[in-house]
Structures are given as C-alpha cells and as structure tokens.
Amino acid sequence: MALTVVQQKVRGFICINAHPAGCARTVERQIDSVQAARPDGVAGPKNALIIGSSTGYGLASRIALAWGFGANTLGVFFEKEPAGKRTGTAGFYHTAALHERARRDGLFAAGINGDAFSDEIKREAVETIRKSMGPIDTVIYSLASPRRVNPRSGETLQSALKPIGQQFSGRTINLANGEVTTMSVEPADDDEIRQTIGVMGGEDWRWWIEMLLEEGLLADGARTLAYSYIGPEVTWPIYRDGTIGAAKKDLAATADALHQLLADKVGGGAWVSVNKAVVTQASAAIPVVPLYVSLLFKVMKAKGLHEGCIEQLQRLCFDHLRDGVSPQVDADRLIRLDDLEMRDDVQRETIAPWLDVTTENLSQISDFDGFRRDFNQLFGFEVEGVDYAEPVETEASL
Ligand code: NAD
C-alpha cells in the first residue's frame, strides 16, 4: 500500500511520473468509446498479439480488438513498475487497469513486460500463446523505441530523428517553455540511417512473424499490421524523407515480403496502416510535430473531424479487420486511416497560418492547449473526472 497525492513532474518534453487513477480513467474512456462505436452483430479477430500494447496506437489497438470483437489479447510492452516513492510509468498503469477490467468483463488478457526485440521475450510470448491462447489470428506491431539491441549481432542500435542529404531548418514549439522557435538539424550520416532502420524498420517485425510461423502459432488467414505515418510536406524533410522515413520504407517493404510469406503459409497477409498524427510519447519527441499537430487539431476539431488513437483504431477494426472484409488499400497497398487528416481542405487550412504563428499568438491560432492537454493525459494528468488532490494507490499489479 502506498497511498499518496501524485503531482505531475515534467522534464523537457517528457513527464517523469504518472497518475494511476488518470491512466485507468483513460483506459475506461477508450473502452466506452469502442463499445459505443461497435456495430451490431460485428465479429472479427479472436486471438490477438499486440507488440507495443501499453500506450498510444498499440494500447488503442488492444482495446479496440478486445472490446470491439471480444478478442483474447496478449500484450507485450516495456514499462517500469512502481518502486518505493517512484510511480510506475503510464503504460504500466494502463495495462494494470486494462487487465483488471478484462477480468471483470470475462475477457482473456495477458501481458509480458520486457524487451520485445529480445529472443527471450519472444520465447516467453510463444509459451504464453501455446499454453493459454492457441493460434493467433492478428498480430499488431506498434513499437516505438529510441533504441534496439539486435539479439543476433549483440549491437545496440540508436534511432536518430534527422534529415537525409541536407540540413533541415524549421519551425517548432519548445515544449519545455511553449516558445515557437526555429530549429536546425544536421543531416544524418550513413551509419545513423542504418541504425534508425535497424530500430524502427521491419527486421524485428519479420522475426516475430517468422518465429510464430515456425512454432505453428499463426491461425489460418492470420493477418499482421504495423503502423506508419506520411503527413504534410512541411514535415517531410525531417520525417518522410529523413531517417525515420527510411525506416518506414523498410517497414513497408517488410510488409510486402510478409504478405507473400503469410499468403503462402497460412493464407493470410501483412499490411502497413498509415495513421493520422496524434499526441503520443513517441510523436511529441519529433521536431515540428507539436506545431503541426496543434494547427491540425484546431482545423479538424472545427470541422468535426478530430480523432485520437481510439477513434482511428475503431475505424481500422470495424472497417478493415472485421470478419468478411479485406483491408482496403491505396495504390501502394497502404491502409489510409490518415484520409481525413490529408483531405485537401484540412491540409490547406492547417498549413496556411504556418508562418504567422508566434509564441504570443500560438494559443489563438492553434490548438496548442489541446496538444498540451493530450500530452498531460498521456501520463494520466488533466483527465476529467479525476480528483488530483486525493491520495491514490500507486502500487498496482498486472
Ligand atoms: P508510443 O510511444 O505511444 O508506444 C510505444 C509502445 O512500444 C509502448 O507500448 C512501449 O511500451 C512499447 N515499447 C517500446 N520499446 C519497447 C521494447 N523494447 N519492448 C517492448 N515494448 C516496447 O508510440 P506510438 O506513437 O503509439 O507509435 C506506435 C507506432 O505508430 C509507431 O510505429 C509509430 O511510428 C506509428 N505512428 C504514430 C503516429 C503518431 O502520431 N503518434 C502516427 C502514425 C503512426
């Protein structure tokens, strides 16, 4: 028992603690959203593995599959447990709350807390699936990580957020003080590109799928999906045409190879879903994104088009993954959940004020307040219905 009042502690662009009740409320809200959106009589995946399941798009995937279709879920994530006076990480509390609610609702939900890139955690997942779940029909790959230890070479790879070929200079918001500034990033060298592809590209996804195939743990027709982003041209030098974009191209090429492999072996397939820009721990760290997202949210909210992770994943599940449909794709075989973000009118109105934004007018011109609220909510703060003056239990178990 460790009842305490938890006050938010922020360093730079990350928050170093989390509020258990706020995180639990966030999970409940996502479950409510899926239940309200679920079409009558819909059926879909029964046995899902979600790699990167504790925050952002992976958490929303798990909730949409479990409460949208009643799927059994195994989540893999890398989170810190609470220890003494230190709270656990947000993903830890999300998962504890999700498991607790699943138990109450009679849904099977198991979790593995450890490094998904390692052989050891992959083996642990195999054991759990064999013992408690049976063949998996849906594998969601939603990792976002700054580094990866390649278990076969032993090399520690670091991802970089850099342009390729030329320096990038662009406007951004300094999240530590809310100032609109211009920042410059030097181009990546070849080794930084290689390492970023090693962390955020498709190799580890492929190894997961190959292992599940070898172990006979993929069901007939099994599907796997990973997530990507394209976004507007103002972000391309640092995103799509930069190191992370090179990794995402590798992810898309991996999807094509896995698509063939799964078609041959189990009559299944692999896809990349291009999701819209949302506020997550991973995206807040990308230069330019906070400014772009703040402008985008203002426009999408005014047009009634705003979506967060769970609204995106509801669409993915109910439109593309339910029984009897195949994922709908564009000419590059990509699922486009970013269709509303990329609509001409939305893009035009988002980018028009780009050069007019200053520190002083940021809150009027953009939805920076919404960005900041979403950011705080990632860690369980500023969540409606939570009394932050009340002491809370910071210990939790999975
Ligand atoms: P996130 O930071 O919210 O979630 C990352 C997840 O990965 C967490 O569950 C974390 O525990 C897990 N993780 C990280 N390293 C791990 C490791 N070594 N072992 C096990 N688990 C580990 O990130 P996100 O923004 O939801 O990103 C997920 C995917 O969605 C990424 O591929 C990202 O590029 C993509 N995407 C994000 C956005 C966006 O705007 N955030 C938009 C489109 C696509």
Side-chain angles (χ1 to χ4, degrees), residues 13 20 73 79 190 249 340:
F13 61 75
T73 58
E79 301 292 349
D190 288 348
K249 285 187 190 96
L340 300 176

Side-chain angles (χ1 to χ4, degrees), residues 59-203:
L59 174 66
S61 306
R62 189 174 189 193
I63 291 173
L65 288 162
W67 279 273
F69 299 126
N72 304 322
T73 58
L74 171 60
V76 182
F77 47 87
F78 209 5
E79 301 292 349
K80 286 206 176 80
E81 295 185 21
K85 285 196 172 148
R86 207 190 61 205
T87 70
T89 50
F92 184 85
Y93 291 130
H94 291 147
T95 306
L98 185 153
H99 285 185
E100 168 60 26
R101 173 69 188 263
R103 262 192 297 277
R104 275 191 276 132
D105 290 355
L107 290 168
F108 175 90
I112 297 176
N113 190 7
D115 181 6
F117 297 128
S118 71
D119 288 338
E120 183 197 345
I121 291 298
K122 289 188 178 69
R123 274 197 301 272
E124 209 179 306
V126 162
E127 291 314 313
T128 304
I129 293 165
R130 201 189 309 285
K131 218 172 78 194
S132 312
M133 296 178 81
I136 294 291
D137 54 32
T138 306
V139 180
I140 303 292
Y141 188 84
S142 187
L143 292 184
S145 174
R147 76 189 61 78
R148 165 180 174 225
V149 177
N150 180 323
R152 302 193 185 171
S153 66
E155 182 183 7
T156 299
L157 303 154
Q158 304 278 352
S159 80
L161 285 164
K162 292 192 173 184
I164 293 177
Q166 54 191 331
Q167 191 204 52
F168 168 73
S169 200
R171 315 197 80 209
T172 191
I173 302 172
N174 177 344
L175 293 183
N177 58 15
E179 273 181 20
V180 177
T181 57
T182 299
M183 43 89 68
S184 301
V185 190
E186 292 303 314
D189 62 31
D190 288 348
D191 198 51
E192 288 173 315
I193 300 169
R194 177 189 70 85
Q195 291 201 36
T196 306
I197 294 172
V199 179
M200 290 297 289
E203 186 174 61

